[in-house]
Amino acid sequence: MKFIDLRSDTVTEPTQNMRQAMFTAEVGDDVYGDDPTVKILEKYAAKLACKQAALFVPSGTFGNQLAIFTHCTRGNEVILGDDCHIVIHEVGASSIIAGVQLRTLISNKGELDPTQIGSRIRKENEDIHYPSTGLICVENAHSCGRVIPLSTMEKIYTLAKNHDVPVHLDGARLFNAAAYLDVDASEITKYCDSVMFCLSKGLCAPIGSMLAGDRKFIDKARKKRKVLGGGLRQVGILAAAGLVALREMIPQLKVDHENAILLGEELTKIPGIVVNKEDTHINMVFFNMHGTGLNSDKLVEKFYAKGIKINGEEDGLMRFVTHNWVSKEDIKFVVDSIKEILLIN
Ligand SMILES: *Cc1c(COP(=O)(O)O)cnc(C)c1O
């Protein structure tokens, strides 16, 4: 059965063009710097992010952790939101790999308050008890589905520069944020020193993320990537798909966003369902269905029988994610299915 899969945009499979590009990719040993396709990808990614250089990494988590590992020294403090991916979904890796302390701030739906950040920045020589702030991390688009305004990013970046602290952007969905804001990605990445963005997820590459920054940072990161076992050999096979992702798939994200809005509007019409409509900035629809009396596990089960994969609720909220492999017709089928299930119940 061909499933409609709304669990995440991580489920996206490579496009035909990607498979073709992978099949014919020119490759070499990238640890020797011999892979021409990787070099093209790294150059192209750096240009999109308007940074001097970029580095292919196996996953988004790898890219974020490598950024922290490269910017910081052991015992540094990293300031970031309490609900960001690095804190919630990266298995505590920053304590294992970089050996840093995470100083979390309560975020307002993913948005950090620059004034609060300012009050948390610490310098080692201020007090014998203090760790020094090694990094500030921001996330845009945020995994709560919202896009952080450029004005906030600018304030945080200016503040960070004044204190000589680098800023890393977790831009797993950077191009979704750019699509929502209707700007080039570089308009966002100009407010950070390093950025990680995923080639997988909405852009459909099977594997891989990019870490971009200035040349000195990327040179250092390349060596640290080797430390972590991320020096890959004929990785042009993957870079070829990544290039197709960046060259062809970015416009698709706007369609995904439109589909998410459509899905949200249709779900809103169902009594008992409350959609966080003002939070639907990208390809994620968050909603509460307690009013329907339908149990989320039950919906997961019934949907599965109809060929729809979804996750159960988390913190009281359901999340449906649109992507390249979810069409408008699929959305109609999903909405009709939920209506049908509710009538039965
Ligand atoms: C998915 C995601 C990551 C990590 O990517 P993986 O490739 O799954 O490791 C990091 N940050 C955010 C905001 C994400 O959504």
Side-chain angles (χ1 to χ4, degrees):
M1 179 155 51
K2 181 87 185 84
F3 277 92
I4 299 169
D5 200 336
L6 300 173
R7 290 173 300 171
S8 177
D9 48 11
T10 56
V11 303
T12 48
E13 290 179 7
T15 63
Q16 270 313 314
N17 284 354
M18 287 177 189
R19 290 177 188 270
Q20 193 56 36
M22 292 171 82
F23 188 68
T24 56
E26 231 188 291
V27 296
D29 186 333
D30 186 49
V31 177
Y32 280 105
D34 279 354
D35 193 304
T37 312
V38 173
K39 283 189 182 162
I40 295 169
L41 172 66
E42 290 181 342
K43 210 165 160 187
Y44 194 74
K47 197 175 115 210
L48 285 182
C50 212
K51 298 290 173 206
Q52 288 173 353
L55 187 67
F56 180 90
V57 289
S59 70
T61 300
F62 198 119
N64 280 337
Q65 295 303 327
L66 180 60
I68 297 171
F69 192 31
T70 306
H71 282 298
C72 298
T73 55
R74 195 161 270 267
N76 271 178
E77 196 162 63
V78 177
I79 299 177
L80 72 190
D82 63 338
D83 56 354
C84 73
H85 196 278
I86 291 170
V87 171
I88 305 283
H89 287 292
E90 299 191 6
V91 215
S94 344
S95 64
I96 304 170
I97 297 168
V100 293
Q101 162 162 300
L102 299 184
R103 185 103 185 265
T104 58
L105 300 182
I106 294 172
S107 88
N108 177 18
K109 293 182 174 182
E111 193 171 344
L112 297 176
D113 175 2
T115 316
Q116 273 191 29
I117 294 179
S119 72
R120 302 302 198 284
I121 292 176
R122 311 203 269 185
K123 289 277 171 245
E124 206 164 8
N125 56 10
E126 272 179 90
D127 186 303
I128 196 173
H129 302 89
Y130 284 5
S132 23
T133 305
L135 184 65
I136 296 165
C137 293
V138 291
E139 187 174 311
N140 207 4
H142 195 271
S143 8
C144 71
R146 292 178 63 92
V147 174
I148 309 308
L150 288 176
S151 55
T152 304
M153 295 207 47
E154 183 182 10
K155 277 185 202 140
I156 294 172
Y157 193 59
T158 307
L159 178 88
K161 290 302 100 182
N162 289 341
H163 288 86
D164 205 18
V165 175
V167 174
H168 171 69
L169 169 62
D170 177 350
R173 296 189 182 82
L174 171 67
F175 298 100
N176 295 82
Y180 174 77
L181 296 170
D182 204 17
V183 298
D184 284 340
S186 59
E187 289 299 311
I188 305 174
T189 55
K190 71 181 182 195
Y191 302 122
C192 67
D193 299 289
S194 64
V195 56
M196 180 284 290
F197 56 87
C198 293
L199 305 168
S200 55
K201 299 201 168 159
L203 297 181
C204 294
I207 297 166
S209 293
M210 303 304 300
L211 178 63
D214 70 28
R215 199 168 309 282
K216 210 169 130 213
F217 171 80
I218 292 297
D219 286 347
K220 204 171 153 196
R222 192 178 294 278
K223 188 152 185 173
K224 296 221 169 195
R225 182 184 68 172
K226 192 81 180 91
V227 171
L228 300 177
L232 303 171
R233 303 298 178 179
Q234 286 73 29
V235 65
I237 296 275
L238 299 178
L243 268 169
V244 176
L246 294 179
R247 285 174 176 159
E248 295 181 4
M249 300 307 290
I250 292 174
Q252 172 64 31
L253 301 176
K254 278 212 158 125
V255 179
D256 298 344
H257 296 183
E258 283 163 21
N259 285 344
I261 287 171
L262 172 70
L263 178 57
E265 279 170 354
E266 291 303 313
L267 288 174
T268 300
K269 292 177 190 162
I270 301 173
I273 292 186
V274 182
V275 179
N276 286 3
K277 274 170 95 173
E278 72 284 5
D279 294 343
T280 312
H281 291 183
I282 57 168
N283 59 335
M284 297 175 179
V285 185
F286 287 88
F287 61 96
N288 169 321
M289 56 173 212
H290 295 161
T292 64
L294 181 64
N295 172 281
S296 108
D297 291 343
K298 198 96 208 156
L299 185 63
V300 173
E301 202 183 296
K302 297 209 171 209
F303 260 16
Y304 193 87
K306 285 182 168 293
I308 305 166
K309 290 188 191 177
I310 56 166
N311 286 325
E313 66 177 19
E314 209 178 302
D315 299 328
L317 281 180
M318 300 290 291
R319 185 189 76 163
F320 286 178
V321 184
T322 60
H323 50 76
N324 184 53
W325 304 103
V326 177
S327 67
K328 289 206 165 50
E329 292 70 47
D330 291 339
I331 287 169
K332 189 171 176 320
F333 180 72
V334 168
V335 173
D336 288 346
S337 298
I338 196 164
K339 283 180 182 163
E340 196 187 310
I341 290 163
L342 283 170
L343 286 180
I344 294 166
N345 272 266

